[in-house]
């Protein structure tokens, strides 16, 4: 069922595994993300052991909101109602502690850092170019939020003809009901949904 994957044609993409999202001073948040971080560390080590390409997509917001979308919508990402004249503000600025990848997944010089300005990690970034130069055809995705940036990136990757593997227990969302919905009902139609343990076996 799992089938081995070729490490030379595979990339591991971490999506927004950043201090500002993960290391909030909030016991409820940490209780949700702690096992995800643990599993992401395992996934990273397995990928490094097999010389898999590692990429980190991370939000790169300007302090002046100069590249922040100002779209009309009903709610924010936490499903809280917004007024019609709501103006979007950045979550945290580029270069801040909040915008850095967590130390547990510390990038190395050979890794690929993908600054992004929208949910989709392919949108106006060099991610697709880097993958094609290395002849990558399979992407393992880990991070969050599952139903926001991970989903947006996955839809684009699917349209670009990449094989997808979703690390179900190394991904998360502050809307866990949505996380489970996507892992059960959406992502299996786009790729393979696997636990980190299963992905480790596939890489070996």
């Amino acid at each position: 069922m799992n089938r081995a994957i070729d490490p030379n044609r595979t990339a591991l993409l971490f999506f927004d595994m950043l201090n500002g999202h993960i290391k909030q001073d909030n016991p409820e948040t940490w209780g949700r993300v702690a096992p995800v971080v643990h599993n992401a560390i395992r996934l990273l080590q397995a990928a490094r052991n097999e010389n898999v390409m590692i990429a980190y997509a991370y939000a790169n917001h300007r302090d002046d909101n100069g590249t922040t979308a100002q779209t009309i919508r009903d709610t924010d990402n936490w499903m809280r109602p917004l007024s019609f004249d709501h103006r979007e503000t950045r979550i945290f600025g580029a270069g801040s502690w909040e915008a850095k990848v967590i130390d547990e997944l510390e990038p190395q010089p050979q890794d690929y850092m993908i600054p992004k300005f929208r949910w989709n990690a392919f949108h106006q970034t060099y991610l697709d170019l880097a993958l094609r130069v290395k002849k990558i055809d399979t992407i393992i995705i880990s991070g969050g939020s599952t139903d926001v940036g991970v989903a947006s990136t996955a839809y684009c990757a699917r349209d670009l003809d990449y094989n997808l593997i979703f690390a179900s227990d190394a991904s998360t969302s502050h809307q866990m009901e949505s996380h489970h919905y996507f892992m059960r009902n959406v992502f299996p139609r786009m790729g393979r949904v696997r636990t980190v343990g299963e992905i480790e076996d596939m890489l070996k």
Side-chain angles (χ1 to χ4, degrees):
M1 169 118 179
N2 283 338
R3 298 183 61 185
I5 52 180
D6 182 355
N8 295 318
R9 299 179 67 87
T10 301
L12 170 59
L13 175 65
F14 286 113
F15 190 97
D16 270 356
M17 292 293 279
L18 311 178
N19 290 323
H21 293 308
I22 301 296
K23 298 194 173 180
Q24 298 179 18
D25 187 16
N26 180 329
E28 182 179 347
T29 297
W30 182 244
R32 170 174 59 83
V33 301
V36 173
V37 171
H38 172 76
N39 289 326
I41 293 170
R42 287 176 52 195
L43 187 57
L44 176 61
Q45 188 58 58
R48 292 213 186 281
N49 289 344
E50 301 299 329
N51 294 315
V52 168
M53 173 185 168
I54 312 294
Y56 299 82
Y58 63 98
N60 195 51
H61 304 292
R62 285 175 57 97
D63 286 333
D64 63 0
N65 291 331
T67 57
T68 301
Q70 301 293 342
T71 56
I72 299 171
R73 54 197 175 117
D74 289 333
T75 74
D76 64 12
N77 289 345
W78 290 265
M79 300 303 293
R80 295 174 300 205
L82 296 175
S83 63
F84 183 79
D85 58 353
H86 170 78
R87 297 295 293 171
E88 205 66 39
T89 58
R90 63 179 176 84
I91 300 176
F92 28 77
S96 66
W97 176 83
E98 290 84 357
K100 293 187 182 302
V101 174
I102 60 174
D103 290 341
E104 291 86 343
L105 302 177
E106 183 180 7
Q108 299 300 307
Q110 71 272 20
D111 297 335
Y112 289 75
M113 304 304 294
I114 313 294
K116 62 181 182 63
F117 303 93
R118 294 294 182 270
W119 289 354
N120 172 9
F122 287 94
H123 182 69
Q124 296 187 5
T125 74
Y126 73 94
L127 177 58
D128 183 56
L129 177 66
L131 294 172
R132 295 193 187 281
V133 166
K134 295 181 69 68
K135 296 181 170 53
I136 300 296
D137 62 17
T138 299
I139 305 171
I140 303 167
I141 303 182
S142 165
S145 293
T146 305
D147 49 326
V148 183
V150 170
S152 180
T153 299
Y155 280 116
C156 185
R158 166 66 175 74
D159 288 342
L160 290 170
D161 299 329
Y162 287 103
N163 299 311
L164 292 168
I165 300 172
F166 300 93
S168 60
D169 53 354
S171 303
T172 188
S173 171
H174 44 258
Q175 299 284 337
M176 287 304 292
E177 180 180 341
S178 297
H179 166 87
H180 294 306
Y181 180 85
F182 271 83
M183 290 296 176
R184 286 194 309 260
N185 302 308
V186 179
F187 291 158
R189 300 163 59 189
M190 303 167 65
R192 290 170 282 180
V193 178
R194 298 291 186 270
T195 65
V196 167
E198 290 171 330
I199 296 172
E200 287 174 325
D201 290 339
M202 294 165 74
L203 286 170
K204 294 174 185 176

